Amino acid sequence: MQLVIKEFQVSGGKVAWHDATTKTPVRYVAEGISGSFTDVSSQDEGRANFSLGFGKGSSTATAKGKATMSPMRVEGALDAKNLALAPFYPYLPEGDLTLEGGALSVAGNFVFQHTPVPVARVANGKASLTGVKAHVGGKKDTPLASVQR
């Protein structure tokens, strides 16, 4: 079966992410999703161009680029601002570290590929952490690190 789509658009979307595979379940909601997929085709390697974004308030992310299905590869430009870190705390290795707050901003070119294992990288860019609040050993009054500008 051959699939060809000239353009597909999304606006005002919302995705609720729930991952119960971690010790503490992860819940994250991405709102205000908008974007487009163009020149989608299942021919040859299965390709598409994309432009996606989501955000609420000062927390936003946009990505533009191209994707292929065989081999699976997504590459483009990423600009993410003030993404909250705390919802992703359960993905950290188990230990005494507790992450209570902070935000990540990152901008640059990215590549994600799955050949044969998933590999992701951001290059030619910059990243910053702000408002990080973390502690070890259950002692909330003794932070591991606290960064403020």
Side-chain angles (χ1 to χ4, degrees), residues 16 25 27-28 30 50 63 81:
R27 289 181 174 86
Y28 186 78
F50 66 90
K81 295 181 177 97

Side-chain angles (χ1 to χ4, degrees), residues 7-141:
E7 184 173 20
F8 175 81
Q9 292 186 353
V10 175
S11 65
K14 178 178 178 179
V15 173
W17 173 267
H18 178 81
D19 184 354
T21 63
T22 55
K23 187 175 180 180
T24 302
V26 175
R27 289 181 174 86
Y28 186 78
V29 176
E31 298 182 76
I33 298 172
S34 63
S36 65
F37 296 87
T38 60
D39 302 320
V40 179
S41 174
S42 62
Q43 294 177 326
D44 301 321
E45 69 274 359
R47 69 181 189 289
N49 297 312
F50 66 90
S51 174
L52 291 171
F54 73 90
K56 188 174 181 181
S58 66
S59 180
T60 62
T62 59
K64 290 182 178 185
K66 60 184 178 178
T68 58
M69 292 304 293
S70 183
M72 184 178 179
R73 181 180 173 92
V74 180
E75 60 184 291
L78 172 68
D79 186 14
K81 295 181 177 97
N82 299 315
L83 300 180
L85 295 173
F88 303 99
Y89 164 71
Y91 291 116
L92 294 175
E94 284 195 44
D96 288 342
L97 178 68
T98 300
L99 178 63
E100 292 182 347
L104 168 70
S105 294
V106 62
N109 299 321
F110 72 90
V111 174
F112 172 82
Q113 59 190 17
H114 193 286
T115 55
V117 295
V119 175
R121 74 172 192 257
V122 174
N124 301 323
K126 58 184 177 178
S128 65
L129 295 171
T130 56
V132 175
K133 188 173 181 185
H135 58 84
V136 289
K139 298 180 180 181
K140 288 187 176 188
D141 58 339

